[in-house]
Amino acid sequence: VQLQASGGGLVQAGGSLRLSCAASLRTFRSYTMAWFRRAPGKDREFVAAIRQSGAPTFYADSVRGRLTISRDNVKNTVSLQMNSLKPEDTAVYYCAGQSGGRPESDAYGYWGKGTQVTVSS
């Protein structure tokens, strides 16, 4: 099982990025998918999650209204559209998958390696 995140990079504050995660999970459509992030010197934190069918979605308060999670159950991908980025969004972003459980909990069974997002002020 592999989760491969991509799309990170360097962007100015107020800019946008789109992260994508390709999953080799054979039963991708049966998994809740999520994005987490770890900023320098901080613990990993929940960003967003999406249930198997595409709804409902869940967001951390700090990103709600700026970041949007979506999925494509045909292409086995989950995406994170990031708008109005702030320097405090700088972190390594990880995609994760699980078959059940609380969406904001980090008890996910599958994790990708992460992609770096850097937002300059």
Side-chain angles (χ1 to χ4, degrees), residues 28-48:
F28 176 79
R29 66 182 62 227
S30 68
Y31 287 82
T32 293
M33 300 300 296
W35 289 94
F36 287 76
R37 68 186 181 188
R38 187 192 300 272
K42 296 186 177 181
D43 293 334
R44 185 171 61 193
E45 66 174 356
F46 169 77
V47 175

Side-chain angles (χ1 to χ4, degrees), residues 1-6 20-28 31-36 71 76-78 93-98 108-115:
V1 174
Q2 288 188 330
L3 297 175
Q4 183 64 52
S6 62
S20 293
C21 178
S24 67
L25 297 165
R26 192 170 63 179
T27 54
F28 176 79
Y31 287 82
T32 293
M33 300 300 296
W35 289 94
F36 287 76
R71 67 188 294 160
N76 283 15
T77 59
V78 58
Y93 284 72
Y94 301 88
C95 62
Q98 66 171 346
Y108 279 70
Y110 303 107
W111 292 87
K113 289 186 177 181
T115 184

